[in-house]
Amino acid sequence: MFQENTSDNCLNIVTTSTEDGAFQESGHGARILSPEEAEKLAKDQVLVSEFKQLKLEKEAQKNWDLFYKRNSINFFKDRHWTTREFEELKGCREFADQKLTILEAGCGVGNCLFPLLEEDVNIFAYACDFSPRAVEYVKKNALYSTERCKVFQCDLTKDDLLKNIPANSVDVVTLIFVLSAIHPDKMHLVLKNIYKVLKPGKCVLFRDYGLYDHAMLRFKSGSKLGENFYVRQDGTRSYFFTEEFLSQLFKAEGYEQVVNEYVRRETVNRKEDLRVPRVFLQSKFQKPFSKTQVLAD
């Protein structure tokens, strides 16, 4: 069992009751690398060529579409943990049966969307994804209903969300394992786009890969695109966030930080005596009320 440690380099809130047998802890300290891990990252400084990087950016949608063609709806598990990790999905109501409007930005094939709709009958969801194939999988799901959700294809870096969602109409935006797939230079465009449809005083709920996650350490030499940014063999990309980078990113687009911390999990395979360190960043950023709204209140 993990022990609480309150030194500057350690996390300071401990949770061990995850349903999959993993240990979990959260707080503001980044994971400390072993000497072997630090040496591996220090040696991996050669970047993918500019030509290939431009090609990957140009073919980003194609590569994600091929990902869903290969894996269908079977790659990711359904995310039944979202209401546990983000109490705002239940707690932001002013009264018990209030209808909530949510946006799942980057819905994939619905692994988060459909568990939410099943669990809470008073949710209407907008959902979008970069991949046309993923959107079609959502629409073919037996649980899909136009009375409960509106799903559409969207490049969040350039397609205006206002074409599908009224301004200032969404109570909660979920941005879960999405921003990491986007080039860091374009991440601010996603946040700017979302800002337009989010109600003042409401929040973006964020969870994504954190610095020194196990997935980051597994990349082989020749996969590095930039600082904390890598490409997989299938052409899809992944960025690994620091607490500071994410905070600056949101604040630059006008959001206020509510919560922003690392979540560390250590999954243990006792049969093989294998420990896998996972690191995520879990955060909440709020669209502020305008000055006129505050005065009116």
Side-chain angles (χ1 to χ4, degrees):
M1 178 175 178
F2 288 124
Q3 299 297 320
E4 182 170 353
N5 190 322
T6 56
S7 67
D8 291 340
N9 291 322
C10 295
L11 301 173
N12 52 27
I13 303 172
V14 178
T15 305
T16 59
S17 57
T18 57
E19 75 283 358
D20 57 0
F23 297 113
Q24 179 168 303
E25 54 185 6
S26 59
H28 298 288
R31 176 176 173 247
I32 299 174
L33 294 173
S34 69
E36 294 78 16
E37 291 169 335
E39 182 180 5
K40 178 183 183 298
L41 289 182
K43 286 181 177 178
D44 188 16
Q45 296 300 322
V46 178
L47 301 184
V48 171
S49 70
E50 184 178 356
F51 173 80
K52 185 175 179 182
Q53 294 216 34
L54 291 172
K55 187 172 186 289
L56 288 168
E57 179 65 24
K58 184 179 179 180
E59 297 180 352
Q61 184 182 73
K62 173 187 172 183
N63 289 332
W64 275 108
D65 230 36
L66 289 172
F67 171 88
Y68 287 113
K69 182 179 181 180
R70 285 191 300 272
N71 296 292
S72 181
I73 61 173
N74 302 314
F75 190 82
F76 299 110
K77 294 180 180 180
D78 281 351
R79 293 169 179 158
H80 294 281
W81 47 262
T82 49
T83 52
R84 183 188 72 238
E85 295 290 342
F86 294 113
E87 61 182 25
E88 293 80 8
L89 287 167
K90 291 183 176 181
C92 66
R93 288 181 166 90
E94 295 176 13
F95 52 89
D97 296 328
Q98 180 185 356
K99 289 279 186 181
L100 283 187
T101 300
I102 71 169
L103 165 62
E104 188 182 359
C107 63
V109 296
N111 298 103
C112 179
L113 174 67
F114 292 119
L116 276 178
L117 293 177
E118 279 190 292
E119 187 172 330
D120 194 330
V121 296
N122 290 314
I123 282 180
F124 178 86
Y126 293 101
C128 62
D129 199 86
F130 193 27
S131 163
R133 193 180 300 272
V135 170
E136 287 306 308
Y137 278 129
V138 172
K139 291 181 176 179
K140 290 177 181 177
N141 192 297
L143 296 172
Y144 178 72
S145 166
T146 54
E147 295 180 358
R148 299 285 320 277
C149 53
K150 177 180 180 179
V151 181
F152 54 96
Q153 192 276 331
C154 178
D155 179 347
L156 288 165
T157 67
K158 64 180 181 181
D159 296 334
D160 194 344
L161 284 171
L162 293 177
K163 293 180 180 179
N164 286 282
I165 306 172
N168 303 312
S169 66
V170 174
D171 295 294
V172 178
V173 177
T174 59
L175 197 58
I176 299 175
F177 296 103
V178 174
L179 210 57
S180 57
I182 294 168
H183 194 289
D185 291 348
K186 293 186 175 182
M187 289 177 182
H188 72 284
L189 299 173
V190 177
L191 303 186
K192 189 185 296 287
N193 206 356
I194 288 171
Y195 193 94
K196 294 182 289 186
V197 300
L198 187 62
K199 290 179 182 177
K202 302 301 183 179
C203 292
V204 176
L205 305 179
F206 177 94
R207 185 173 172 120
D208 217 321
Y209 299 109
L211 185 69
Y212 304 147
D213 178 58
H214 180 67
M216 178 178 175
L217 300 172
R218 289 182 63 194
F219 280 104
K220 296 180 180 178
S221 179
S223 304
K224 191 170 185 177
L225 302 171
E227 186 179 8
N228 305 332
F229 192 37
Y230 296 83
V231 61
R232 303 182 183 93
Q233 289 186 337
D234 62 4
T236 62
R237 298 167 297 177
S238 186
Y239 185 85
F240 296 85
F241 290 91
T242 65
E243 187 179 354
E244 296 79 12
F245 176 84
L246 189 71
S247 180
Q248 292 170 8
L249 193 66
F250 270 90
K251 288 178 179 179
E253 298 308 318
Y255 294 86
E256 296 173 345
Q257 180 173 306
V258 181
V259 178
N260 185 31
E261 61 185 14
Y262 293 102
V263 173
R264 283 174 51 184
R265 295 163 62 87
E266 186 177 57
T267 304
V268 182
N269 184 328
R270 299 187 188 283
K271 184 178 293 186
E272 299 181 16
D273 194 27
L274 182 66
R275 296 174 180 271
V276 178
R278 304 309 311 268
V279 182
F280 308 119
L281 208 60
Q282 187 159 305
S283 314
K284 179 169 72 169
F285 292 90
Q286 179 175 292
K287 179 177 179 179
F289 290 103
S290 66
K291 292 181 180 179
T292 54
Q293 286 174 307
V294 172
L295 290 173
D297 291 343

